[in-house]
Amino acid sequence: MTEKADLIELAQSKLNPHRVDDRLFGDVSAALETTTGAIHVGVCIDTGSGTGFCAEHAAIASMVTSGEYAIARIVAVWRDAEGRLTVLAPCGRCREFIRQIDQANIETTVLLGHGRTARLHDLLPEWEWPEPEQPAESGF
């Protein structure tokens, strides 16, 4: 098993879609490895009231519950109705969430599928707080 495939396989093993009315729980799963080597998983929960969360949030909550904050690598997966597995890049909200949990997470490796990876800072452009604008020189 390759270093990339292990997290993907673990995440896919946690897929467990469950429909409640028009909402679907557990159809996206995430797995992460901390910088100490601990592994955490989570699934998404879609709610009608907007209180649901992505699978990455659930995995990160598990990590924080265990007293860790720095993520070495993370992946999320989804399986379609034909059984095909897709590796999903984190949404913008998740990218920002990962970054805010620990300053070091800007270097987290995100598994993107098809053997590709990226550092979080490459997926989250303009993440640093900008410098203030310089006062314009008056032409009067």
Side-chain angles (χ1 to χ4, degrees):
M1 187 176 337
T2 69
E3 182 176 304
K4 294 175 188 130
D6 63 344
L7 273 189
I8 293 170
E9 288 180 20
L10 178 60
Q12 82 172 331
S13 77
K14 301 301 179 185
L15 289 170
N16 189 22
H18 176 72
R19 186 165 296 281
V20 176
D21 298 322
D22 66 338
R23 300 297 173 183
L24 190 57
F25 307 149
D27 66 319
V28 175
S29 176
L32 67 81
E33 180 181 12
T34 68
T35 57
T36 67
I39 302 292
H40 297 275
V41 296
V43 297
C44 70
I45 296 181
D46 180 22
T47 63
S49 62
T51 57
F53 46 85
C54 295
E56 294 93 333
H57 285 220
I60 291 167
S62 172
M63 174 188 70
V64 170
T65 300
S66 295
E68 292 197 68
Y69 305 90
I71 303 167
R73 48 193 193 118
I74 191 167
V75 68
V77 299
W78 170 76
R79 187 178 308 285
D80 68 17
E82 287 78 41
R84 296 173 298 197
L85 188 72
T86 301
V87 174
L88 304 172
C91 70
R93 181 174 176 240
C94 286
R95 293 173 195 195
E96 185 61 25
F97 188 70
I98 293 165
R99 184 190 73 80
Q100 289 189 26
I101 295 298
D102 189 285
Q103 289 181 350
N105 289 344
I106 199 67
E107 296 298 327
T108 295
T109 297
V110 178
L111 281 62
L112 299 172
H114 302 288
R116 297 179 312 122
T117 63
R119 298 285 185 182
L120 183 63
H121 62 74
D122 293 328
L123 300 177
L124 193 65
E126 302 297 325
W127 59 273
E128 292 184 283
W129 194 259
E131 294 294 323
E133 295 292 321
Q134 297 298 317
E137 291 188 32
S138 176
F140 302 111

